[in-house]
């Protein structure tokens, strides 16, 4: 049988893989694509330096890897605030059962 997409799964593999394993494979594939885009962004930065004498910050071009996905600066700031709120809430609930 033919492989399905970039994860390299065949149709019959879908019957033998757990949701957790599939989720991990998707995250790993997304991270691999992020690293490939990082290389391309670095090339764009070096090209900008060579021709214009200035360059963008890499994360302005690419975004940041956070929370198993790529986020821009505003999304990353919200994600970090949400994590801090959740940690504070968990600590409050754990301290006062």
């Amino acid at each position: 049988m033919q492989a399905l997409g970039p994860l390299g799964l065949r149709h019959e593999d879908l019957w033998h893989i757990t949701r957790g394993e599939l989720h991990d494979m998707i995250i790993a594939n997304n991270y691999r694509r992020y690293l490939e885009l990082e290389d391309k962004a670095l090339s764009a930065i070096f090209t900008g330096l060579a021709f214009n004498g200035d360059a963008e910050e890499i994360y302005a071009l690419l975004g940041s890897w956070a929370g198993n996905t790529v986020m821009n600066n505003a999304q990353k700031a919200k994600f970090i605030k949400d994590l801090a709120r959740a940690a504070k809430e968990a600590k409050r609930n754990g301290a006062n059962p």
Side-chain angles (χ1 to χ4, degrees), residues 14-71:
L14 297 177
W15 297 102
H16 304 287
I17 191 168
T18 66
R19 281 184 158 180
E21 290 170 331
L22 184 59
H23 184 258
D24 290 344
M25 290 173 74
I26 290 169
I27 290 171
N29 183 59
N30 289 344
Y31 188 66
R32 181 188 52 78
R33 288 179 38 217
Y34 173 77
L35 292 178
E36 289 171 0
L37 287 174
E38 188 176 49
D39 287 341
K40 291 177 183 177
L42 283 172
S43 296
I45 287 172
F46 291 139
T47 302
L49 282 171
F51 289 107
N52 299 332
D54 64 345
E56 295 275 336
E57 181 182 341
I58 189 167
Y59 298 111
L61 293 174
L62 183 61
S64 298
W65 181 263
N68 297 329
T69 188
V70 178
M71 300 180 185

